Amino acid sequence: MRKKIVAGNWKMNKTLREAMDFAVSFQERSDELPGDVEVIIAPPSLYLASMEMIKEPAYRLASQNCSHHSYGAFTGEISAAMLADMNVGYSLVGHSERRTYFHETDELLAKKLDACFLHGVVPVFCCGEHLAEREAKRHFVTVLHQLEHALFHLSPSQMSRVIIAYEPVWAIGTGVTASTEQAQEMHAFIRSSIAGHFGRETADAVRILYGGSVNASNSAELFGCDDVDGGLVGGASLKVGDFITIVQSASRG
Ligand code: PGA
């Protein structure tokens, strides 16, 4: 059975003090966390080192992005090698804000995935369609294109370790979520596309998270869908209480 994941994406929010207050308070309340859900937090990169110092943290850390290069003259970039060196085990790859504002293409994201695997960092690959694509009924074509161009060069064993986050762009930060039918339908489509290329066993191992306006009131319903293996949570991951409620809602127990 696939272990559920709830990942928090803080984006460019919080001061260091606020980040550490969150980490300490999350840790103090860790007995409220279910044992069958993996918790990942992606703070701004500057805070990764401090958040890594919490003793036996109840969360694992992710970067919000990483370079496709391992080292060198790439001002402003952070590599997967550096993340691995700092015990940061995960990195978001291809969040829609990176695709939109930083013009990241699936071809570039394919290289970022390779860099992650080279250095032992687990990629959380984000995909999803814009509103106009859904309205034109091109959402499946769009997502399949993203999967094919960024992921389909991987080996089956690498693929089985990728965490996919399906985040319809129209649902991110808007307060509008996909319905459970829309989420389940797309997640099942993603899984069957992976099965078609890599085989059923690989597809069954891949965790597919839903993202886009997940909050403490709607998470249980979304995470209850058969092919939804948890969530990638933006705004609602910034408050300890809300985030804990969302993690609890992913538990099967
Ligand atoms: P949101 O963001 O939960 O604030 O909609 C999700 C994301 O961008 O990962």
Side-chain angles (χ1 to χ4, degrees), residues 85-102:
D85 184 45
M86 284 179 44
N87 288 324
V88 175
Y90 302 80
S91 179
L92 305 190
V93 174
H95 188 279
S96 80
E97 287 146 22
R98 305 261 353 142
R99 292 174 184 263
T100 303
Y101 305 133
F102 303 94

Side-chain angles (χ1 to χ4, degrees), residues 120 137 172:
K137 304 207 182 329
I172 296 179

Side-chain angles (χ1 to χ4, degrees), residues 210-233:
Y210 169 80
S213 296
V214 172
N215 61 39
S217 324
N218 61 28
S219 57
E221 208 186 8
L222 285 159
F223 299 168
C225 299
D226 282 353
D227 285 289
V228 177
D229 304 310
L232 178 56
V233 187

